[in-house]
Amino acid sequence: TGSSCESWDVKLLQVSTFAVDRGNFKTCDQSAFCKRQRALKPGQSPYRALLETLELSDSRLTLQLINDNNKVHLLLELYRLQGNMTRVKINELKPLRPRFEVPDVLIAEPPTEPLSVLSKDDNGVVLSLGAKNQRLIVSARPFRLDIMQGPEVLLSLNSRGLLAFEHLRLHKDTDKEEDGLWEETFKSHTDTKPNGPTSISLDFSLPGVEHVYGIPEHADDLKLKTTDGGDPYRLYNLDVFQYELYNPMALYGSIPVMLAHNTQRTMGIFWLNAAETWVDISSNTMLDFVQGSSEKPQTDVRWISESGIIDVFIMLGPKPSDVFSQYASLTGTQSFPPLASLGYHQCRWNYNDQEDVKSVDQGFDQHDIPYDFIWLDIEHADGKRYFTWDPHKFPQPKEMLQGLMDKRRKMVAIVDPHIRVDSGYKIHNEITSKDFYVKNKDGRNYEGWCWPGNSGYPDFTKPEMRAWWSSMFAYDQYEGSMENLFTWNDMNEPSVFNGPEVTMHKDALHGKWEHRDIHNIYGLYVQMATAEGQTQRSGGVERPFVLTRAFFAGSQRYGAVWTGDNAAEWDHLKISIPMCLSLGLVGVSFCGADVGGFFKNPSTELLVRWYQTGAYQPFFRAHAHLDTTRREPWLFGPENTALIREVIRQRYALLPYWYQLLYQAHKTGMPVMRPLWVDYPKDTATFTIDDEFLIGSDLLVHPVTEEGSRGVTAYLPGAGEVWYDVHTFQKHNGAQNLYIPVTLSSIPVFQRGGSIIPRKDRVRRSSACMENDPYTLYVALSPKKFAEGELYIDDGHSLNYDTKKEFIHRSLTFANNALTSSNLCPDCNFLTSSWIEKVLILGASKPSKVLLKMDGKETPVDFEFDTSMSVLTLRKPGMNAGADWTLLLQ
Amino acid sequence: MLHLGTPVEIQRPRGVPLTKKQFYVENKPFTCLDGSRTISFDRVNDDYCDCKDGSDEPGTAACPNGSFHCTNAGYRPMFIPSSRINDGICDCCDTTDEYNSGAKCENTCKELGRKEREVLQKMAEITKEGFLLKQHLIEEAKKGQQEKQSKVTDMQGNKKQLDEKVEVLRTVKETAEQPEKEAKERHLKAWEEQKAAIRLEKDKAKMAEAFLELDDNADGFVSVSELQSHAELDADADGTLTETEAQGLMGGAEQVDTSTFESVWPNIKDKYHSEVMETPPDEVKEPVVDNDSEPYPEDDISEEEDEEDEDDYHEDDDKVSCGCVQAPPTIKTPEKNHEDEEAMPSYDADTQALIDAAQKARDDFEEAEKALREMDDQIRNIEKELSFDFGPDAEFTYLYSQCYELTTGEYIYRLCPFNRVSQKPKYGGSETNLGTWGSWSGPENNKYLLMKYDHGTGCWQGPNRSTTVKLTCGKETVVTSTSEPSRCEYLIEFTTPAVCQEPANTDLSPHDHEEL
């Protein structure tokens, strides 16, 4: 839902231009610690490693650092982690009070590998990082770390001397009275800063790297830009009303993970800190010692956070997929969503009442458009009291849900974390009596203004609070809920309309920790507790589905993310691609943008193009602001209805592929929607592409995102590879820029030669209705007449795939004129009634005969051959989708 | 596949309507209905799509563009998309679409048929009665229209007469005003002359008085030094009257006697202050022309003065019938000091008679003109009403100048057809305009099914409010529901006999089913 301002800030009534009010949000200069840190000059590091303090246990090295200016000692911890990662922790040796370390993000304490000292002298220590000739050099004066592989420096820490650790101190011991150390005011809000300055910073140099990615969420290009002369990229979860594009301003979520890539290697830096964080990026060159005098490009990155400790994971790749699995091993993978949630979602702020829901539902059937979920925004609740229903508009929620269930469809209702302060509201009373609210600095319940008016904010950092919250989703607690009702967590940055930067005061208290310390992880906890509640209500049997707006590292484990309150503008359609690509790179695969644009009314052309783009992005939901005109897919004339119907049908036909990719993401951490460079890491032409993308490895999509477009130029990667237009089956060579003329019905999509994609071409009104339908296999042959793919099948909604291994996972391979299905999980156990109705082989030659080999028998299979496009169609081979079989072309 | 309960069911492939049965002949090759290809009959309904048009799979979900026919005996036969065959959802009331999905469907055709017949019957009754009412409405509207038309015609005739009358009275008025004007001018002139004489007299007396006063030593001469004692006569306003200045005032003479003082007096009389108590310098009042009591005839009002006010005045006049209009703008000068002993003498009897005659002519003229204006307004209003599109047979005429209300939980909605729609909070608060009459906006074949009201009060960051009124046949004219499907776009459902269609001469027996 919407954003903050309209209901409370009447001043904005006059400012109806669709742009963020930048004055509401801080620049680095207005954030005291950022300003202080950024004022430091490189090359003057006061830190020195005290080598004599080095201690090495089997897998942990500790070493003290001293700041020669103030004699404060820091403790450096180094770990070699399994899977080619290094962890560097720096904290005060003896802090005045404990400093915050972020819990609940790592799925477990990362397993370590032994470290050993190779050599040591007065200048430093050389450690072996085990595998592949990797070494870690600790330099003493100034302190510096270099990670080497052979003669090559992969990455250096504090090489520019920007390590800066503001130690905890007493106010009376502050040597100089500087602005913003013990108090800071922004607009009318004063941050009392009882702990004084606590910020930390560290720089990283990446020799040979020109391309860095990640650190979402920003409305910016995929490739991160240098921040010289401007603000750093900011990570601070904020409800930004009408956000602007192509700038480093903070948005709703923060994932402090950056990827660095060149043709040789991909690496990642994971800065585990939940406080307000700024990231500076500059592009430099350094002398290449190995190559002699030639200059080598280099990217320097500097992280600055307001509090906490330095805890950084260096993921050394070297392949993109290695970095994904390394990050997944730390923070977990994308949750495996119910199949239905990969279908189309129809949302609006708001569907007015039960009648409205019913008539929209009927509209889809009348116009023969599939959909799986209809959504209710904040107006559905009684006075914005979440977990309740407006008694006039939604008097019979179960009747409504049953109506949807009869059509095998589902619903999502919003549950936001701000709780109406109202002694007649059960949720508020229970939170109050259990003392679960966040406190203000004086220890009273923190209250802020949000949709319901005066609201409290449950302290989701408390495990007991989360457990209680989860229990509220039980069917007997959440009145009117049924098993086809799912949840949407909005405003969980948290949004506080009358708070500083529309969020919570930093001196508010979560137990003993300040909001300052935990801010960026608050939203993760909300989704975590909600998803857990959904799992619990089914007795741990069903998969949850929860959408969130705010997120942090690890949020991928709890559901889907969308890019917040965008606008019905062409540039917002374009930016949806890099925004979701950036999220995919750092673990969040289940990403989407509001189709049609949230604010304003889209032109019909923009709406159609947005459906065409959104249908090929992981989370596919149309949404619209309360003040926009209705835009259900059939309201724009029969021709546009047909265009939208067609693309939604394409989405449904591809659901088996999407589902399999989500399964893969869940198992391996591989992103579903990917930048081209992930699969073509040596092709520099792909490094900055963010107007097209891959779905898995096998589909390449170049959506039309220009108004009035008559053609697009798509880059087809892969020298020596071929791509097939999925609509015409025309074959194109890889490693070329292909001009594609387009009309309003065109969606340029290509299948990679060498791949096999299973589809369900019998599209029905919801994904559940297609459960038992047969598959068609699209076998796209490589120039070497080879292809491979997978087929994943389970019940689509339960956790039995995990708990009971109830799934089918097949490998499909076409080689030597034979297409074979073999079992990837022999000890799995699931029965499907789906069968193979058709096999299309693209780029084939005409066989004389086709035989199906199964159960030791051979039976002939009818086929047709289209000479013009070289497409061989095998008619109704008919084998069960879970069986072993081979189709022989003779 | 046979429905045991319906022995008349004619055997044909599943999902084929009777009308297409002849294309599906058992054991003969089947040609796709688009003629694109011919396949063996065992490929019909074999759960694989061979025909581009989907015609080989009328009974399975194999073809993306196919359709399935359910007979729905007892209710209406229908086609559903093939994708709804065996999808677990009961679409056909005869359950034939779910033959292999495990869905538990019940045959509801009889029940549906019964309900439909009931609804149809009810509808038919309403339509019938509504249509009768509509005939009355049409008659009345036509009558009313004719009446109005003839009224307008009459009024236009009357108006012509009135026009002439106004012209005649204008001439009468102008004729009467001429002698009035002349007589008043004469009177005024005489008064002016008389005043001039009096003024001269007074001046002389003052001069003599001043001479005596100035002649301090009473030698019969006013000298330069004597004059200098009157500093107020100082010409350069430096506070002192120098000798040279005084001499200048005296025309260069050292002293003057009473007769030469006559030429000095005009130089000093404006500034001269008597030393003794004196009435203030006596300015003779301009005669107060009594234009308050004599409104100018309209044509005489000077343009630059009051044209705008005059327009406003008349606009107000249209609406405000009471006499509480703000003071006419012609009242400019407040009552001047009428204690002025030198007020103009009243008119003589002859002049007064002329004035009275002119006033009567003016009154008569104005009255006639007002009547003309009123008639114009009436004609305009009727013509405006006649210009509305009240439907092909003027059946919507009766809605004109009526308002219909519906009270919902929060608001009172008010629909005044051909005028405006508004919404008012039930428990106090100001009214919001939801749109003023725009146009009929139904579909091309019957635009009279929807009314559009637009340009209502603006919405925050949104459009101006607008309302669509959906008209359905009903015996009563009533607002049945209101909603806001999109922010600031309202929908009102409104029943009226005026949209009831002539009932087709149908009997209400169930449809003739193919099987029956």
Side-chain angles (χ1 to χ4, degrees), chain A residues 108-316:
Chain A
E109 199 51 39
T112 54
E113 280 180 352
L115 273 170
S116 58
V117 175
L118 292 178
S119 67
K120 184 178 171 185
D121 60 22
D122 290 350
N123 297 323
V125 185
V126 179
L127 300 161
S128 165
L129 287 178
K132 292 178 189 162
N133 199 16
Q134 274 181 15
R135 283 159 301 141
L136 176 67
I137 300 170
V138 183
S139 307
R141 185 191 292 263
F143 164 69
R144 168 184 172 134
L145 296 174
D146 291 276
I147 296 174
M148 311 272 300
Q149 174 145 339
E152 211 185 338
V153 179
L154 301 181
L155 178 136
S156 312
L157 281 71
N158 201 32
S159 54
R160 287 190 301 150
L162 293 169
L163 167 63
F165 206 108
E166 293 181 330
H167 62 284
L168 294 170
R169 63 202 81 183
L170 296 173
H171 198 165
K172 63 180 172 64
D173 299 339
T174 314
D175 16 335
K176 49 184 176 163
E177 221 23 85
E178 197 184 304
D179 269 1
L181 287 182
W182 294 90
E183 185 179 287
E184 176 173 358
T185 299
F186 178 67
K187 302 192 91 179
S188 60
H189 301 283
T190 297
D191 175 4
T192 58
K193 302 177 93 163
N195 296 330
T198 57
S199 75
I200 53 166
S201 164
L202 181 60
D203 68 88
F204 302 81
S205 292
L206 296 154
V209 168
E210 287 178 278
H211 295 84
V212 287
Y213 308 94
I215 55 169
E217 180 176 6
H218 299 100
D220 208 346
D221 295 329
L222 174 66
K223 176 192 180 314
L224 298 171
K225 294 165 183 155
T226 64
T227 57
D228 307 320
D231 256 9
Y233 284 97
R234 190 183 189 201
L235 294 172
Y236 192 57
N237 295 358
L238 291 176
D239 178 3
V240 181
F241 183 63
Q242 294 176 345
Y243 62 79
E244 256 179 65
L245 308 185
Y246 304 111
N247 71 51
M249 287 174 71
L251 284 178
Y252 313 95
S254 301
I255 300 183
V257 178
M258 181 184 284
L259 267 54
H261 176 73
N262 62 24
T263 52
Q264 303 305 308
R265 178 179 286 272
T266 309
M267 295 186 292
I269 299 170
F270 170 29
W271 175 265
L272 179 50
N273 188 299
E276 178 184 345
T277 296
W278 299 78
V279 185
D280 256 323
I281 297 167
S282 57
S283 169
N284 294 295
T285 52
M286 68 172 289
L287 218 51
D288 188 332
F289 297 108
V290 183
Q291 303 295 319
S293 61
S294 71
E295 297 235 302
K296 199 172 172 185
Q298 168 170 321
T299 297
D300 293 321
V301 181
R302 182 188 183 194
W303 298 71
I304 306 168
S305 290
E306 188 176 9
S307 67
I309 65 162
I310 292 172
D311 188 1
V312 58
F313 297 82
I314 296 152
M315 301 172 283
L316 292 165

Side-chain angles (χ1 to χ4, degrees), chain A residues 356-397:
Chain A
D356 201 3
V357 168
K358 198 172 175 182
S359 80
V360 170
D361 178 70
Q362 284 169 350
F364 278 93
D365 287 341
Q366 272 158 25
H367 298 92
D368 199 16
I369 299 172
Y371 91 97
D372 270 84
F373 281 83
I374 186 164
W375 291 52
L376 296 180
D377 208 323
I378 51 174
E379 312 298 330
H380 87 278
D382 181 13
K384 319 284 195 299
R385 295 171 189 91
Y386 308 109
F387 300 101
T388 72
W389 305 83
D390 184 301
H392 303 291
K393 299 169 184 166
F394 297 93
Q396 303 292 341

Side-chain angles (χ1 to χ4, degrees), chain A residues 322-504:
Chain A
D322 295 328
V323 176
F324 300 134
S325 66
Q326 285 156 5
Y327 181 62
S329 75
L330 297 172
T331 66
T333 59
Q334 178 63 54
S335 65
F336 188 34
L339 172 59
S341 67
L342 291 168
Y344 172 61
H345 299 260
Q346 182 67 38
C347 186
R348 168 172 188 86
W349 177 23
N350 212 96
Y351 285 118
N352 298 332
D353 47 31
Q354 281 179 226
E355 265 311 300
D356 201 3
V357 168
K358 198 172 175 182
S359 80
V360 170
D361 178 70
Q362 284 169 350
F364 278 93
D365 287 341
Q366 272 158 25
H367 298 92
D368 199 16
I369 299 172
Y371 91 97
D372 270 84
F373 281 83
I374 186 164
W375 291 52
L376 296 180
D377 208 323
I378 51 174
E379 312 298 330
H380 87 278
D382 181 13
K384 319 284 195 299
R385 295 171 189 91
Y386 308 109
F387 300 101
T388 72
W389 305 83
D390 184 301
H392 303 291
K393 299 169 184 166
F394 297 93
Q396 303 292 341
K398 283 195 175 177
E399 196 181 293
M400 170 176 67
L401 288 165
Q402 186 59 52
L404 291 169
M405 199 179 280
D406 291 345
K407 298 264 197 80
R408 309 182 75 174
R409 287 173 178 147
K410 298 164 177 65
M411 173 170 266
V412 169
I414 199 164
V415 174
D416 287 352
H418 50 260
I419 301 301
R420 181 170 169 148
V421 173
D422 170 4
S423 59
Y425 178 26
K426 179 185 92 171
I427 299 284
H428 167 70
N429 290 341
E430 288 207 29
I431 296 173
T432 308
S433 70
K434 292 177 192 298
D435 201 22
F436 280 160
Y437 276 126
V438 175
K439 303 284 187 258
N440 64 23
K441 62 178 162 44
D442 306 321
R444 282 173 291 121
N445 284 347
Y446 179 91
E447 287 181 2
W449 208 255
C450 210
W451 295 125
N454 199 29
S455 305
Y457 291 77
D459 189 354
F460 282 91
T461 66
K462 275 199 175 101
E464 319 84 74
M465 189 277 147
R466 292 199 301 273
W468 172 83
W469 178 268
S470 299
S471 73
M472 287 299 101
F473 289 88
Y475 296 119
D476 58 350
Q477 290 292 330
Y478 189 166
E479 278 176 40
S481 68
M482 286 173 53
E483 54 269 44
N484 64 340
L485 180 69
F486 296 83
T487 312
W488 171 18
N489 293 148
D490 196 0
M491 317 295 280
N492 52 339
E493 294 77 23
S495 178
V496 181
F497 292 168
N498 57 344
E501 301 190 85
V502 203
T503 191
M504 191 171 278

Side-chain angles (χ1 to χ4, degrees), chain B residues 179-195:
Chain B
E180 178 203 31
K181 193 179 165 201
E182 286 166 10
K184 279 165 106 178
E185 278 169 4
R186 268 197 309 282
H187 182 81
L188 190 61
K189 202 176 164 204
W191 168 230
E192 294 283 343
E193 283 165 7
Q194 198 187 338
K195 268 194 305 185

Side-chain angles (χ1 to χ4, degrees), chain A residues 6 12-13 15-16 18 241-242 348 352 356 364-366 368 406-408 625-630 649 761-765 769 835 837-838 862 864 873-876, chain B residues 37 43 46-50 56-57 60-65 81-91 97-98 101 459-463 484-489:
Chain A
E6 65 232 55
L12 273 167
L13 285 173
V15 192
S16 62
F18 280 86
F241 183 63
Q242 294 176 345
R348 168 172 188 86
N352 298 332
D356 201 3
F364 278 93
D365 287 341
Q366 272 158 25
D368 199 16
D406 291 345
K407 298 264 197 80
R408 309 182 75 174
H625 188 274
L626 187 67
D627 286 334
T628 59
T629 46
R630 293 293 283 243
R649 289 174 68 102
D761 281 336
R762 304 183 179 189
V763 174
R764 304 195 190 241
R765 62 183 133 196
C769 294
W835 48 285
E837 69 169 323
K838 197 195 282 194
D862 283 331
E864 280 171 39
T873 305
L874 310 187
R875 187 189 187 281
K876 207 182 173 189
Chain B
R37 66 189 291 192
R43 291 192 172 186
D46 72 337
D47 207 10
Y48 184 90
C49 191
D50 293 285
D56 62 316
E57 296 296 318
T60 77
C63 293
N65 50 347
S82 293
S83 64
R84 294 183 194 169
I85 300 170
N86 290 328
D87 67 349
I89 300 163
C90 311
D91 291 285
D97 60 318
E98 297 298 317
S101 71
C459 274
W460 184 78
Q461 281 211 353
E484 189 182 357
S486 225
R487 184 79 148 170
C488 301
E489 290 178 11

